[in-house]
Amino acid sequence: MSLLIPGLRRAAPKLASSQFVCRQCLRQQPRAAPSRILQSLQRRHASTESQARFARYFTSTAVPTATATADAASQAAKSAFPETSSKSVAYWLIGSAASVFGIVVFGGLTRLTESGLSITEWKPVTGSLPPLTQADWESEFDKYRASPEFRLLNSHMDLEEFKKIYYMEWTHRLWGRLIGLSFVLPTAYFIARRRVTPRVAAHLVGISALIGFQGFIGWWMVKSGLKDDLFAPGSHPRVSQYRLAAHLATAFVCYSWMLLVGLRILRAKRLLADPASAAKLVAALKNPAIAPFRRSVSALTALVFTTVLSGALVAGLDAGLIYNEFPKMGLGLAPPKSELWDKFYCRKEDGSDLWWRNMLENPSLVQLDHRILATTTFCAILALFAYSRTGRVAAALPKSAKKGTMGIVHLVSLQVALGISTLIYMVPISLAAAHQAGSLALLTGVLVLGHRLRVPKSTLTLVQKRLASVAKPR
């Protein structure tokens, strides 16, 4: 113990007094205020720390803010529509138009083989599959037996013969479904991925809606041939010629719409690739001498389309099976007046609907109208060709337009030959289908010619921008 005392004496001054006081007494004692020097040091340290925090905050957020702005700009650029549509869209549109061309011809074959009324129901989804079992085939055949066409025309038909006409109509409907799916789904993709301009996107949505409407018109047409009250008692069961014309007209509009939008995209790409040549072409098309020719082509397009509609009326009424001679109809160039304006087709007692009922429902007058329209179309195209080779028009017309004019002369000559042959040989299936295909080919030629005579304002604006950017000094 005596040895520890000297060590405790030396350590005692170094120990704080608080170590020798109990904790309760320490809690009760008031704390001494820190000195002024200590307070100033604490304030200086706090201000330095706050400045450091402030600097760290703005230093760490300044760079991410700039990065976020750049990312937002890139996202906005990706979400914006381009100035020109992709070439792949143009090729897809032209391919879709070719598919519509094919289904138009196949639809004519379906009508010519009298297969269109073999399916008596409209099932847009479940109808995609044909009958798979014998019981399914018997059920479909029983439904067809209840139709006027079977009772009046095909009462001798057995199941195997029914399968042939059934597959024709089923293929036609399936082809229509495939056209719809192969157009609507890519439309959604191209718009979502911003591969098209806003104008082209609107066109694609409009065509998609028209395809859906065409499916409805197709069933509306078929339905007219399944009811006895829509045609004269005891007559040949057929679909309404009005609905047939509407169905064909919608198909032609759909085809033309696809074709023109696709051609415009390709032409815009070609003009923007060579702005100098594009400027020369635009200047040539602005020549006042071409304006009458351009209006003539527009009028010719309307004339060809009207002739096509009159041909649909001829097909719907089977008017091609009478007066199978050309150019005469019986003893003269036209049937007797009493036959052309027959009161049999009137539905009003006062006869106020005499003229238009005969023009649309009298087979003799409907065929005469189609002959007149077809002859007028042929003469108009020959006159347009002569006009394109004379005077100021010949000097101002671009070479591509001259080739287009020559092309429609060839097409209309072939179409006239097919039409006369179809009439003389009493509407054989092969010639009649070729005649229908020829009408769409002729319309294609006239549309392409009109397309070559115009440059859309949107394309012209892009060409001017491209020329300005090339001419701007660097």
Side-chain angles (χ1 to χ4, degrees):
M1 190 67 180
S2 61
L3 295 174
L4 295 175
I5 291 174
L8 291 173
R9 287 177 180 175
R10 287 193 297 269
K14 299 179 181 180
L15 297 174
S17 60
S18 60
Q19 296 177 358
F20 300 94
V21 183
C22 67
R23 293 181 180 179
Q24 186 174 2
C25 296
L26 286 174
R27 293 193 193 100
Q28 294 176 356
Q29 290 179 358
R31 294 183 179 180
S35 63
R36 293 181 179 178
I37 298 175
L38 182 60
Q39 289 178 358
S40 64
L41 289 174
Q42 290 176 347
R43 284 196 298 269
R44 189 173 299 174
H45 175 72
S47 62
T48 305
E49 186 177 359
S50 64
Q51 290 176 1
R53 289 179 181 176
F54 184 81
R56 284 197 305 269
Y57 174 77
F58 282 98
T59 303
S60 62
T61 57
V63 175
T65 302
T67 307
T69 304
D71 292 342
S74 63
Q75 291 293 333
K78 290 181 180 179
S79 63
F81 285 97
E83 288 185 338
T84 59
S85 300
S86 172
K87 269 189 176 181
S88 58
V89 177
Y91 295 138
W92 163 69
L93 279 167
I94 294 175
S96 299
S99 184
V100 174
F101 191 108
I103 199 175
V104 167
V105 177
F106 192 81
L109 291 172
T110 304
R111 178 187 57 80
L112 291 166
T113 56
E114 296 183 347
S115 305
L117 300 178
S118 58
I119 302 179
T120 59
E121 294 177 333
W122 189 41
K123 298 178 179 179
V125 179
T126 58
S128 301
L129 294 175
L132 301 177
T133 64
Q134 185 66 22
D136 294 337
W137 278 112
E138 292 291 347
S139 175
E140 291 296 324
F141 194 28
D142 289 340
K143 295 173 185 176
Y144 179 68
R145 285 195 187 102
S147 66
E149 184 178 71
F150 179 84
R151 287 187 276 104
L152 296 176
L153 289 179
N154 297 330
S155 57
H156 60 280
M157 181 178 288
D158 58 14
L159 182 59
E160 292 302 319
E161 293 175 328
F162 170 72
K163 287 182 179 181
K164 294 179 182 178
I165 64 172
Y166 186 95
Y167 274 123
M168 285 287 293
E169 175 64 11
W170 176 79
T171 303
H172 182 63
R173 295 191 185 191
L174 181 63
W175 196 341
R177 290 183 178 96
L178 292 177
I179 289 176
L181 288 176
S182 63
F183 196 91
V184 173
L185 296 181
T187 292
Y189 171 79
F190 287 134
I191 295 176
R193 299 291 294 178
R194 299 298 190 265
R195 303 288 296 276
V196 294
T197 63
R199 182 183 295 273
V200 173
H203 283 303
L204 297 184
V205 173
I207 296 172
S208 300
L210 186 63
I211 291 174
F213 183 61
Q214 172 72 333
F216 168 76
I217 291 181
W219 169 245
W220 181 59
M221 177 193 68
V222 171
K223 191 177 179 181
S224 65
L226 301 175
K227 294 183 178 180
D228 295 290
D229 56 345
L230 293 180
F231 44 85
S235 64
H236 189 295
R238 61 169 64 94
V239 298
S240 167
Q241 74 272 20
Y242 301 112
R243 301 185 187 186
L244 176 63
H247 190 51
L248 185 66
T250 307
F252 272 51
V253 170
C254 187
Y255 166 82
S256 304
W257 201 348
M258 291 177 180
L259 179 68
L260 288 178
V261 175
L263 291 177
R264 286 171 186 170
I265 294 174
L266 291 178
R267 193 182 197 194
K269 290 287 187 181
R270 186 169 60 254
L271 293 179
L272 291 175
D274 189 0
S277 300
K280 293 180 182 179
L281 176 63
V282 171
L285 292 178
K286 286 184 177 180
N287 193 317
I290 299 180
F293 186 84
R294 187 184 296 114
R295 289 193 295 267
S296 300
V297 173
S298 299
L300 180 62
T301 305
L303 179 60
V304 171
F305 192 77
T306 304
T307 307
V308 168
L309 294 183
S310 72
L313 295 177
V314 171
L317 293 170
D318 287 332
L321 298 176
I322 59 176
Y323 292 113
N324 301 105
E325 52 194 345
F326 190 85
K328 290 187 175 182
M329 296 181 69
L331 299 178
L333 294 176
K337 183 178 178 181
S338 59
E339 182 180 345
L340 295 177
W341 307 104
D342 195 344
K343 292 184 179 180
F344 171 79
Y345 298 97
C346 294
R347 297 186 184 179
K348 294 183 179 180
E349 295 182 358
D350 58 355
S352 58
D353 58 345
L354 174 68
W355 66 275
W356 72 266
R357 287 282 184 188
N358 278 275
M359 288 184 67
L360 300 177
E361 298 179 3
N362 185 344
S364 300
L365 186 53
V366 166
Q367 188 190 124
L368 177 62
D369 291 340
H370 187 61
R371 289 188 183 208
I372 293 173
L373 286 170
T375 304
T376 304
T377 302
F378 178 70
C379 295
I381 290 177
L382 293 182
L384 185 70
F385 173 76
Y387 182 53
S388 68
R389 297 301 193 271
T390 57
R392 297 170 55 197
V393 178
L397 204 62
K399 188 176 180 180
S400 60
K402 291 181 179 179
K403 289 182 178 179
T405 308
M406 176 62 75
I408 62 173
V409 170
H410 294 159
L411 288 171
V412 76
S413 300
L414 177 62
Q415 179 68 349
V416 168
L418 287 172
I420 296 174
S421 301
T422 303
L423 181 67
I424 292 175
Y425 291 102
M426 297 187 68
V427 196
I429 293 177
S430 57
L431 285 176
H435 186 52
Q436 182 165 328
S439 65
L440 191 51
L442 178 59
L443 180 63
T444 303
V446 177
L447 290 173
V448 170
L449 176 59
H451 164 75
R452 292 177 178 177
L453 294 172
R454 289 179 175 83
V455 176
K457 292 183 179 179
S458 56
T459 304
L460 182 60
T461 302
L462 292 176
V463 170
Q464 292 173 349
K465 287 182 180 179
R466 190 67 57 89
L467 287 172
S469 63
V470 171
K472 186 182 296 184
R474 295 182 179 179

